[in-house]
Amino acid sequence: MRRYLEPVVAFSAAAYLTLGCSGSLGRDPGGSEGTGTGGTGGVSATASGAGGAAIASETSDTAAAADPPKVPPSDFKQCMVTSDLLDPVFLTIPRARSMVTATQVRGELAGLMPEIPLPGTLRGPELLNYYHFDYPTTQVTEVIVVPELHGTSVLGQMVLQIGIQAPPVDSAHRRPTAVTVLVDTTKSMEGESMARANAAVLALAESLNKGDVLNLVTTNPDVAPVHRVAAIAGDPALFAADKPLTVSGAGDLGQALVQAYDAANDVDSYLAGGLNRLVVITDGGGLPESIDARLIDDNWTKQHIDLVGVGVGLAPSYRPALLDAATRAGHGANLYLDSVAEADAALHLRFDEVMDEALNDVSIGFQLPSIFEVVNPAATTAAVSEGQLTTSDLGRGRSMVFRHAVGVCPNPDSAALAKTTMNVTVSWNDPTLPDRQTRQFPFPLVKVISQTPSYAFLKTSVVVAFTNALQSLEAARFEAACQKIADVHTAYATHAADPELDSIAAQINAHPIMVKAGKTCP
């Protein structure tokens, strides 16, 4: 194992904390030194737009080397090890199902002449929302909670990561599903945007089971909506790929949205107790004011028709504002397709993750022993009262990862430490149950600290480092992100290949900053 794993493996929990506060704390595998929470995976470098989390930076090991040492806070409630727990801290991930930035960055870096994604346009949490940070589970109906505490390069500080894993996808037993697809066919969609739109409709059609409904509406007022019912799973008659949609001149997306909701609510389409979704596909050329947010909210509130946004414009010029507003009102996922291939990946292979929710209105609370102190939690993602935060939904088979810096008191008593616990509380609404669900999970602190960093923890660190690099535009930070990828491969040499890590490495190699520096990920 590399040096960063040594403190976790070689020392007891008590010795680990003692060394950490006396100047020898090992580095966090993610180089995490700030505070924050992230999307369906981790932390981010900056405040995000569109209601996303505002998150302080986690600096890389490279950048941290020059930082002056920091000491633990002096105002801990209790430095002696006791059974007392701190007041609970509640966590949330605003807009946890918005994933636009990750694929838009990838699209900007994929061309023959890669462009530099502008730091001011990046919404860091959306990178974490897109990538997978799965925790192993065999449970089908219950949430999984995995807390971890690991050292950082900041004296007196550790990183607490709490992973929340939703029940796995079971598409064979999915609820009856009705998908109404509204496709922008105006002039601006000509070319690659329309190709991606057609691929998106095909991917949705291929995902439907026997008896499921597909409605197809376009912005062309002269074309009547199409209503079809799947005769078999993946029925090719739902959408003929050899007869794609084409650009049809003028049209009004706002008026077409009214028509789409009429189709979704039609007696032959709406499935009571089923999964009813409206998918809006556009190149992002419209303004948020062009759609009626009250109409969207009303259909979600009364009919629980989630609105899912799918952006298909060219990456350098794509503007997410319209679908940000629509999906915020419609409580659905917000995606961007940077290629035709991504349509199948996002809307077919990940259909249940994107379209269905395992947990609604998720809230996380944790309590640490009194030897710890949460460091500067962000007001938009952490609070002392559950009611102070917006809540988020969690898709089928998906995970949320919350990550915060915590201070720690020096020299805890080993025997007393072994008796302490930390608590995690998860509350959510289940679409199939009438009452809000709450589960409390106590964890022995020694176990939380002594375990080897999980694959999910190390992968989160990769995305954190990549996000920091995109924000800083410093070659050294891109190199640090490359090192994080290498560290994952070293620590988990027998782990199956991870295409997402390979994709991040390819994006780093394509970034003009790295090209100019003559550097590549090994």
Side-chain angles (χ1 to χ4, degrees), residues 226-252:
V226 173
H227 169 84
R228 295 189 176 115
V229 178
I232 58 173
D235 190 348
L238 290 178
F239 182 73
D242 59 344
K243 296 180 180 178
L245 298 171
T246 58
V247 169
S248 51
D252 186 296

Side-chain angles (χ1 to χ4, degrees), residues 144-155:
I144 304 299
V145 177
V146 180
E148 300 181 61
L149 269 165
H150 300 298
T152 77
S153 54
V154 178
L155 300 180

Side-chain angles (χ1 to χ4, degrees), residues 54-129:
I55 299 167
S57 173
E58 289 198 3
T59 55
S60 66
D61 289 341
T62 302
D67 292 343
K70 298 179 182 180
V71 297
S74 60
D75 59 346
F76 283 96
K77 292 182 179 180
Q78 176 64 267
C79 281
M80 296 294 292
V81 178
T82 71
S83 60
D84 295 337
L85 295 175
L86 299 175
D87 292 335
V89 175
F90 292 93
L91 306 173
T92 192
I93 300 172
R95 306 282 289 150
R97 302 180 73 202
S98 185
M99 314 177 203
V100 172
T101 294
T103 44
Q104 189 170 5
V105 165
R106 190 175 66 192
E108 290 179 271
L109 294 173
L112 295 177
M113 298 288 290
E115 300 195 20
I116 295 178
L118 298 177
T121 66
L122 302 178
R123 286 126 39 126
E126 294 187 345
L127 277 85
L128 285 304
N129 292 349

Side-chain angles (χ1 to χ4, degrees), residues 420-432:
T420 60
T421 61
M422 69 167 290
N423 290 338
V424 179
T425 302
V426 184
S427 299
W428 72 92
N429 293 326
D430 187 317
T432 65

Side-chain angles (χ1 to χ4, degrees), residues 20-22 25 70-73 76 152 154-158 406-409:
C21 293
S22 62
L25 186 62
K70 298 179 182 180
V71 297
F76 283 96
T152 77
V154 178
L155 300 180
Q157 215 171 87
M158 301 180 76
V406 295
V408 60
C409 279

Side-chain angles (χ1 to χ4, degrees), residues 347-506:
L347 296 171
H348 180 40
L349 300 181
R350 296 171 66 166
F351 180 91
D352 293 278
E353 297 176 20
V354 170
M355 294 292 167
D356 201 0
E357 305 122 357
L359 312 175
N360 295 128
D361 301 327
V362 182
S363 175
I364 311 299
F366 71 88
Q367 289 180 282
L368 288 169
S370 56
I371 58 168
F372 291 97
E373 180 176 79
V374 180
V375 180
N376 301 324
T380 56
T381 60
V384 296
S385 171
E386 181 179 7
Q388 292 177 267
L389 297 173
T390 60
T391 54
S392 291
D393 300 328
L394 183 57
R396 292 280 173 193
R398 294 290 289 172
S399 61
M400 287 182 178
V401 177
F402 300 86
R403 193 154 161 139
H404 275 278
V406 295
V408 60
C409 279
N411 305 318
D413 177 75
S414 178
L417 185 69
K419 300 177 183 179
T420 60
T421 61
M422 69 167 290
N423 290 338
V424 179
T425 302
V426 184
S427 299
W428 72 92
N429 293 326
D430 187 317
T432 65
L433 298 175
D435 299 320
R436 187 165 177 82
Q437 307 296 302
T438 299
R439 301 287 186 274
Q440 292 185 336
F441 301 87
F443 296 96
L445 186 63
V446 171
K447 181 178 179 180
V448 173
I449 293 174
S450 62
Q451 62 184 314
T452 299
S454 69
Y455 189 88
F457 188 97
L458 296 181
K459 185 173 178 180
T460 299
S461 300
V462 170
V463 182
V464 169
F466 180 46
T467 303
N468 288 338
L470 291 170
Q471 291 286 354
S472 70
L473 298 181
E474 297 173 5
R477 288 190 183 269
F478 283 105
E479 292 180 67
C482 289
Q483 184 58 53
K484 304 300 181 193
I485 296 173
D487 291 341
V488 176
H489 292 321
T490 299
Y492 286 87
T494 60
H495 195 279
D498 190 334
E500 292 185 340
L501 288 182
D502 294 341
S503 174
I504 292 173

Side-chain angles (χ1 to χ4, degrees), residues 26-337:
R27 290 184 184 274
D28 156 43
S32 304
E33 301 174 4
T35 72
T37 61
T40 317
V43 287
S44 168
T46 67
S48 72
I55 299 167
S57 173
E58 289 198 3
T59 55
S60 66
D61 289 341
T62 302
D67 292 343
K70 298 179 182 180
V71 297
S74 60
D75 59 346
F76 283 96
K77 292 182 179 180
Q78 176 64 267
C79 281
M80 296 294 292
V81 178
T82 71
S83 60
D84 295 337
L85 295 175
L86 299 175
D87 292 335
V89 175
F90 292 93
L91 306 173
T92 192
I93 300 172
R95 306 282 289 150
R97 302 180 73 202
S98 185
M99 314 177 203
V100 172
T101 294
T103 44
Q104 189 170 5
V105 165
R106 190 175 66 192
E108 290 179 271
L109 294 173
L112 295 177
M113 298 288 290
E115 300 195 20
I116 295 178
L118 298 177
T121 66
L122 302 178
R123 286 126 39 126
E126 294 187 345
L127 277 85
L128 285 304
N129 292 349
Y130 178 78
Y131 295 106
H132 290 81
F133 304 87
D134 298 333
Y135 290 88
T137 174
T138 57
Q139 293 179 264
V140 176
T141 60
E142 191 59 272
V143 65
I144 304 299
V145 177
V146 180
E148 300 181 61
L149 269 165
H150 300 298
T152 77
S153 54
V154 178
L155 300 180
Q157 215 171 87
M158 301 180 76
V159 168
L160 169 65
Q161 178 163 310
I162 302 174
I164 310 297
Q165 180 74 44
V169 173
D170 185 13
S171 58
H173 297 90
R174 184 195 307 143
R175 288 178 286 163
T177 300
V179 178
T180 299
V181 187
L182 168 56
V183 181
D184 182 352
T185 57
T186 57
K187 186 67 174 176
S188 64
M189 288 283 291
E190 197 162 29
E192 179 65 18
S193 294
M194 186 53 69
R196 296 177 191 178
N198 278 294
V201 178
L202 179 61
L204 292 168
E206 290 178 337
S207 302
L208 298 181
N209 292 326
K210 180 180 179 180
D212 288 347
V213 173
L214 177 70
N215 294 317
L216 188 57
V217 181
T218 74
T219 53
N220 187 341
D222 297 326
V223 177
V226 173
H227 169 84
R228 295 189 176 115
V229 178
I232 58 173
D235 190 348
L238 290 178
F239 182 73
D242 59 344
K243 296 180 180 178
L245 298 171
T246 58
V247 169
S248 51
D252 186 296
L253 189 63
Q255 291 180 3
L257 184 65
V258 176
Q259 191 177 34
Y261 274 119
D262 287 342
N265 284 293
D266 186 85
V267 66
D268 292 328
S269 297
Y270 187 82
L271 302 175
L275 195 68
N276 296 277
R277 297 293 181 261
L278 192 151
V279 179
V280 177
I281 303 174
T282 179
D283 63 347
L287 298 174
E289 296 77 17
S290 65
I291 58 172
D292 187 349
R294 289 176 299 179
L295 172 68
I296 300 171
D297 179 72
D298 191 56
N299 274 274
W300 181 82
T301 302
K302 295 179 179 179
Q303 301 291 83
H304 202 71
I305 300 176
D306 290 15
L307 187 148
V308 175
V310 179
V312 293
L314 299 182
S317 59
Y318 177 68
R319 293 179 294 180
L322 186 148
L323 289 181
D324 283 343
T327 54
R328 188 182 301 114
H331 296 255
N334 192 11
L335 314 177
Y336 170 73
L337 307 183

